Amino acid sequence: MAYAEVPGGYLYFEQRGAGPDVVLLNGGLADTRMWDSTVDWLSACARVTTWDYRDNGLSSTSSAPYDEIGDLLAVLDAAGIDRAVLVGVSDGARRALGFAHQHPDRVTKVCAVAGSFGEFPDPTAAEEAARIIMRAHFARIGELLDSGDIPATAAYDIAAWCPRVPDPARRLLTNLAIANSRILQMPEAHGQELDPPVKHRFAELKPPVHVLIGKHDFAGTQLWTHRLATQARETTLSVLPHADHMPMFSAPAAFREWLTHHASSSSATRSRAKRTPGQNSAAAGVIASCCIDPGQ
């Protein structure tokens, strides 16, 4: 348990375990507590760092724009991390990829889980249809927020994103969303990402990217995952048939298998073949094959 000092605030982080460095990045309305069950087993083979973004968990609140990438760099420096595997879920995947773009020398690889990037540039018909569904979801969130009922807002949001998460974990995620509801109520987020954003720059990413998506996630998120896996230069794509937006809760055994494989990979290895979206289909309720060398 420690804090990294940043301009205008501080960032809370924790470290457990020993071995190769793995840094976990939360979903947008969560904090370090979402990773407790993952850290329990991952810290047996890695030094695991979890941290809270500004306006989340035990980190400071923000009152002005700040550099998201600079914040993660401050955590790595304060935690004594030279180079790490970055594991980001949802908005955390976007943050991890943005950092990897700007600081590839500090990143072994990115494990991007259900990455969320907002509106599609030059959308296909399928992507535009998927965004219509997402806009309707966010419009309903806005209506619930206007009523002042934060618990109902959080419950609705988590139920939509996480239809396959068992009740105990869903309650955890709902309560984390309530605890971090400041973000929902801010007129605009203060975090500043790459300019232009990383969603326009997947092809420029240098570190390998391992992509994971659940078949029960929003269609828009699934389509973003396929964009990332298609456009980034060194990728694998894995699809979990029984998972949703939070596979560490909806398909914990398969998520553990996938992350153990990729997080324990040597920093010197690289995937030998790019996987296109159609190449890694899920089968029989287990993780889709990543089709890479066992040594990776």
Side-chain angles (χ1 to χ4, degrees):
M1 298 171 61
Y3 291 89
E5 299 299 320
V6 290
Y10 53 84
L11 303 169
Y12 174 80
F13 69 91
E14 300 178 2
Q15 273 190 334
R16 281 179 55 186
D21 278 304
V22 178
V23 178
L24 307 181
L25 288 85
N26 316 323
L29 291 178
D31 55 44
T32 55
R33 292 171 288 182
M34 71 160 283
W35 293 113
D36 285 351
S37 59
T38 300
V39 173
D40 283 345
W41 58 263
L42 185 57
S43 59
C45 61
R47 182 169 70 160
V48 184
T49 301
T50 56
W51 63 293
D52 290 333
Y53 315 140
R54 297 197 210 201
D55 302 303
N56 292 64
L58 298 179
S59 289
S60 61
T61 58
S62 66
S63 58
Y66 66 88
D67 180 4
E68 290 180 345
I69 293 173
D71 276 9
L72 178 50
L73 182 61
V75 170
L76 264 61
D77 288 345
I81 299 170
D82 178 60
R83 201 159 180 253
V85 175
L86 302 183
V87 182
V89 61
S90 192
D91 188 58
R94 178 189 62 79
R95 290 173 182 251
L97 291 165
F99 183 88
H101 184 282
Q102 190 160 329
H103 297 285
D105 58 316
R106 302 295 295 269
V107 178
T108 305
K109 64 184 65 178
V110 178
C111 295
V113 182
S116 296
F117 305 94
E119 296 292 334
F120 292 93
D122 300 319
T124 65
E127 290 168 343
E128 178 57 27
R131 285 305 298 176
I132 290 172
I133 294 171
M134 292 305 308
R135 291 179 204 126
H137 172 76
F138 293 132
R140 179 57 180 155
I141 290 292
E143 292 171 357
L144 290 168
L145 282 174
D146 288 343
S147 75
D149 193 338
I150 296 298
T153 305
Y156 175 83
D157 195 36
I158 296 302
W161 287 102
C162 304
R164 304 288 295 211
V165 169
D167 283 343
R170 185 178 300 184
R171 290 174 183 143
L172 167 67
L173 291 170
T174 300
N175 282 311
L176 290 181
I178 294 169
N180 294 298
S181 61
R182 168 182 166 81
I183 302 167
L184 285 174
Q185 300 173 80
M186 294 172 66
E188 61 180 359
H190 291 148
Q192 302 293 298
E193 61 176 331
L194 286 178
D195 184 18
V198 73
K199 68 181 181 181
H200 298 279
R201 308 169 79 170
F202 293 155
E204 301 171 15
L205 290 164
K206 294 179 180 178
V209 180
H210 299 296
V211 185
L212 183 68
I213 188 66
K215 291 289 278 185
H216 294 270
D217 205 334
F218 275 108
T221 311
Q222 295 186 54
L223 290 168
W224 264 122
T225 295
H226 287 271
R227 271 206 182 205
L228 173 60
T230 301
Q231 294 178 7
R233 290 185 290 183
E234 295 186 58
T235 65
T236 63
L237 171 62
S238 298
V239 182
L240 299 184
H242 302 299
D244 53 31
H245 198 62
M246 291 286 175
M248 67 290 299
F249 298 113
S250 55
F255 175 75
R256 178 171 179 170
E257 179 186 347
W258 178 83
L259 185 55
T260 299
H261 177 73
H262 291 301
S264 63
S265 300
S266 166
S267 62
T269 59
R270 292 290 186 269
S271 56
R272 300 184 185 275
K274 179 173 177 176
R275 313 311 303 166
T276 62
Q279 285 179 291
N280 281 347
S281 58
V286 298
I287 192 168
S289 170
C290 290
C291 300
I292 60 176
D293 292 344
Q296 292 186 284

